[in-house]
Amino acid sequence: MASSQSENVSFHVVPATEADMETAARLVHEAISPTSPIDSLLHPLGMTDGVFAAAVAGKTQQFRTDGTIYRKVVASRDSSGDDEMVAFTRLYIRAVERNESEWNTPFTFTPDEGLEPGELNVEAANAIFGPIDAMKKKAIRGSRHLYISLFAASPDWQGKGLGRLLMEDAFSTAKAHGLDTIYLISTESARPFYAKFDYEMVDTVTIDLVKLRGGSEGEKTDKPTHASMMLLRKTPV
């Protein structure tokens, strides 16, 4: 179990439970939404109750799927003895080759049935995640690997080394499963963090945010595009 300590608070990486999925969904929203240029496109009405419930349901479904591992960082305070979940990650273990139909099936985003009209922009979701899914399949097809699907820490606890703890735990998990290849999708702003752990870019896809917002070609904006990058790390087993 990886651990560290800072200012009378100790941090430990432990297995997450199904009961943690609501906190995990909240952490993703708090960590990603403030800086994500695509979140407002996907959820025009913001983090409604329906959107949040769908996020929890999706994470719960994945938790129950074979080959999926959720790990969390808990903060333990010496004074209270209470543990607080402050970061988490979702790992996919791909140690067995998938059937051919999975690789050839085009990505289609299916919204949760509980969402109300306007809570999710399905057209934008397909335009964003379709090319990302194609890039991912191109890179990982036919390989045995660990894939880091989600990686988030509470903004209140960032800068405490939580990302390093989770990344080192991912390395240990890959080694335990006999895997020497780790993949993940990174944004442009997060790439310097992953570069510290020797991840290299193998591919990238750029999304035209102006077009998705319904703007005209050449429109001036501070965030005209969003780049998603496929990163790879090779490590000895």
Side-chain angles (χ1 to χ4, degrees):
M1 178 178 69
S3 62
S4 67
Q5 189 164 349
S6 175
E7 300 174 1
N8 297 321
V9 179
S10 57
F11 303 103
H12 310 280
V13 180
V14 297
T17 67
E18 188 171 324
D20 291 319
M21 296 303 100
E22 183 173 328
T23 303
R26 187 173 292 109
L27 281 180
V28 170
H29 173 66
E30 293 175 350
I32 297 176
S33 293
T35 59
S36 171
I38 66 173
D39 198 65
S40 60
L41 278 170
L42 296 175
H43 305 119
L45 303 181
M47 182 55 73
T48 63
D49 290 344
V51 171
F52 184 73
V56 175
K59 288 169 179 57
T60 301
Q61 180 181 11
Q62 286 300 317
F63 183 89
R64 299 169 180 170
T65 303
D66 291 342
T68 302
I69 298 175
Y70 276 93
R71 303 282 282 173
K72 65 180 179 179
V73 177
V74 296
S76 301
R77 297 174 178 82
D78 295 339
S79 58
S80 66
D82 294 332
D83 290 343
E84 177 185 354
M85 178 177 169
V86 294
F88 87 103
T89 188
R90 182 171 68 198
L91 312 174
Y92 293 149
I93 303 299
R94 303 300 190 200
V96 179
E97 176 56 37
R98 298 159 69 181
N99 63 59
E100 196 67 16
S101 64
E102 291 185 71
W103 296 116
N104 296 330
T105 302
F107 175 88
T108 301
F109 196 92
T110 303
D112 189 273
E113 293 181 357
L115 291 176
E116 297 293 332
E119 288 189 298
L120 174 68
N121 186 332
V122 178
E123 182 179 356
N126 279 302
I128 293 169
F129 296 118
I132 293 175
D133 182 72
M135 175 178 66
K136 180 172 70 174
K137 288 177 178 175
K138 177 183 175 183
I140 70 177
R141 184 171 187 159
S143 71
R144 299 175 68 254
H145 62 275
L146 180 147
Y147 182 77
I148 301 178
S149 172
L150 284 175
F151 199 87
S154 168
D156 295 336
W157 292 91
Q158 290 179 4
K160 303 291 186 181
L162 308 185
R164 177 172 291 278
L165 278 178
L166 286 174
M167 191 59 67
E168 291 174 349
D169 182 76
F171 298 159
S172 297
T173 301
K175 185 175 182 179
H177 285 81
L179 304 174
D180 66 354
T181 305
I182 300 176
Y183 286 103
L184 58 85
I185 298 288
S186 172
T187 61
E188 200 165 9
S189 60
R191 189 183 175 191
F193 168 78
Y194 295 118
K196 296 177 182 178
F197 300 96
D198 300 323
Y199 283 90
E200 299 180 359
M201 185 172 71
V202 295
D203 204 352
T204 185
V205 61
T206 301
I207 308 299
D208 187 339
L209 297 181
V210 173
K211 183 178 180 180
L212 285 180
R213 293 191 188 105
S216 59
E217 185 176 351
E219 178 182 328
K220 300 296 183 180
T221 175
D222 59 335
K223 294 180 179 178
T225 61
H226 171 75
S228 292
M229 304 169 184
M230 193 80 194
L231 304 185
L232 161 70
R233 184 186 193 271
K234 284 283 190 178
T235 183
V237 176

